[in-house]
Amino acid sequence: MSNNHATLTKQQSLTTHFNIPDNLQFTELVINVNAKTQGSANSRLIQEIGSIYAQCKNVSIEKYDNNQLLKVNINDNTFVFELCYSYPFKMPANIHINGVNYNDIKRISDPSMIPYIKKYLGTDCFCCHSLLCANNWTPIIRVASIINEIQSNMIILHKIKIHLLCDELRSKYRCQFIMFEDYLF
C-alpha cells in the first residue's frame, strides 16, 4: 500500500485513502472513521480492509452512534456488515447481500433441501456450520473469511436448487432413472 495519507475534515472524521496498484479492479479505497471512536476495533477493521481490497472493487465504512456499516462490493454483489463497536469480540449484528438479510438466505424453508445440505456440508443446516453461529464465533474470524463463506454458501445453495429442479423433473415425467445432474455438474 503506497501513498497512504490521512486528512481531518470539518466533521472531525478521519479519512484514509489507499492508492491501490493498477492491476486491481479499482483505484481508491476510502475509509471514514469517526475521530471519537478510533481505537483497537477500528485499527482491526483497517487491517482487515487490506485483505479485503484485493478481492473487491469498492469498500466503505460508515459510522453511526451505535454501530458501523462496512460495505463491500465484489463481483456485482454488495455485502453490508453491521458491526457494533465491540467487533471483533462480537460478531456482526446483520449482514445483507444485495439488500437481502443473510440469515434469511441461510434459513431452510424446504425440508427436501436437507439431504443435499448434508451432502455438501455434512450437517443438517447452514447455521450450525457457519462462522456466524454464536457457538463458532471467535475474535480471530475476519470479514474476508465471512465473505468467502457467504460466497461458497451461495454456490452450494445454487447447486441445491438445481438438484431440487432435477428431482421435480424426474417426478413430473416419471423418469426416476435419468440423472440430469451428471450433465449439469
Side-chain angles (χ1 to χ4, degrees), residues 72-99:
V72 180
N73 292 320
I74 301 175
N75 300 331
D76 299 326
N77 290 317
T78 301
F79 299 85
V80 179
F81 297 85
E82 184 180 328
L83 305 171
C84 65
Y85 286 110
S86 58
Y87 172 84
F89 301 104
K90 289 188 178 181
M91 64 184 174
N94 287 309
I95 300 174
H96 289 82
I97 301 100
N98 299 328

Side-chain angles (χ1 to χ4, degrees), residues 65-177:
D65 290 336
N66 298 327
N67 62 17
Q68 48 201 353
L69 293 181
L70 172 64
K71 294 180 182 178
V72 180
N73 292 320
I74 301 175
N75 300 331
D76 299 326
N77 290 317
T78 301
F79 299 85
V80 179
F81 297 85
E82 184 180 328
L83 305 171
C84 65
Y85 286 110
S86 58
Y87 172 84
F89 301 104
K90 289 188 178 181
M91 64 184 174
N94 287 309
I95 300 174
H96 289 82
I97 301 100
N98 299 328
V100 179
N101 192 318
Y102 183 56
N103 288 329
D104 295 338
I105 294 171
K106 290 189 306 184
R107 205 167 285 124
I108 302 168
S109 58
D110 186 357
S112 62
M113 293 175 74
I114 293 174
Y116 297 111
I117 292 171
K118 204 174 244 186
K119 173 183 176 181
Y120 288 109
L121 297 177
T123 63
D124 288 347
C125 72
F126 280 104
C127 298
C128 297
H129 182 271
S130 176
L131 295 173
L132 297 169
C133 173
N135 293 333
N136 297 336
W137 183 259
T138 65
I140 201 166
I141 297 172
R142 297 183 172 271
V143 171
S145 302
I146 296 169
I147 291 172
N148 291 335
E149 176 186 284
I150 291 170
Q151 289 176 324
S152 67
N153 283 346
M154 298 301 281
I155 291 169
I156 290 170
L157 278 171
H158 181 73
K159 288 179 180 181
I160 289 172
K161 288 178 183 178
I162 290 173
H163 280 292
L164 293 175
L165 289 172
C166 291
D167 290 347
E168 189 176 318
L169 283 172
R170 280 191 285 273
S171 175
K172 182 175 181 178
Y173 295 106
R174 297 184 182 104
C175 54
Q176 300 300 324
F177 58 91

